[in-house]
Amino acid sequence: MSSRYEVVFTCFLRDDTPASVLAALRWHLGTARERPTELDGETHAYPLLEPDADSRLPGGDFASLTRQARFVTGEGKEHHAWGLFTRNYWLDDDMEELVTVLDLLAPHVEDPGYGGYFREEDEAEPTAFTFHDRTYGPLGG
């Protein structure tokens, strides 16, 4: 019997995130049908963040990528970023793919700090990860 995990990503990506990265995310989220040609088919073999309508998570899977106004600068201009939130139910065999998503996101994350977590479905304590210096690591890393 396979273990199953709740996997959550939550971060803001800089407004200048390359179009190719946003296209890759849209494909992983299931909002774009075709895998972008820039993505390696072995590394990005299938969409990892697409919500499963039959998810066993309470409330189901969820995925959103939205350009959002975050604050107003001292010059009175709105500062925007791409807000990403996903919550998916992954089999233990897919957990090695966590790195695929983290590698895609980390260079473009706007704010260092908390970036999400994963949790085996029967565990009370999640394992959090952070983004920092264009990379990622465990909470406190």
Side-chain angles (χ1 to χ4, degrees), residues 40-107:
D40 174 51
E42 287 187 33
T43 303
H44 300 268
Y46 51 91
L48 296 167
L49 304 173
E50 184 173 5
D52 179 354
D54 296 323
S55 174
R56 293 181 8 195
L57 283 174
D61 286 7
F62 184 82
S64 175
L65 176 65
T66 307
R67 187 169 183 261
Q68 298 174 246
R70 294 205 56 206
F71 56 85
V72 177
T73 68
E75 295 83 38
K77 294 184 180 181
E78 283 190 341
H79 176 84
H80 291 85
W82 291 94
L84 174 70
F85 180 82
T86 67
R87 178 179 181 246
N88 301 90
Y89 196 55
W90 287 14
L91 291 172
D92 56 358
D93 293 344
D94 293 330
M95 288 304 289
E96 64 189 35
E97 301 299 334
L98 194 65
V99 171
T100 301
V101 178
L102 290 168
D103 284 344
L104 183 65
L105 298 176

Side-chain angles (χ1 to χ4, degrees), residues 10-34:
T10 179
C11 61
F12 283 101
L13 304 175
R14 289 187 313 277
D15 199 31
D16 66 353
T17 297
S20 61
V21 172
L22 296 173
L25 278 172
R26 288 182 182 108
W27 178 75
H28 276 294
L29 294 167
T31 59
R33 299 185 91 195
E34 306 261 336

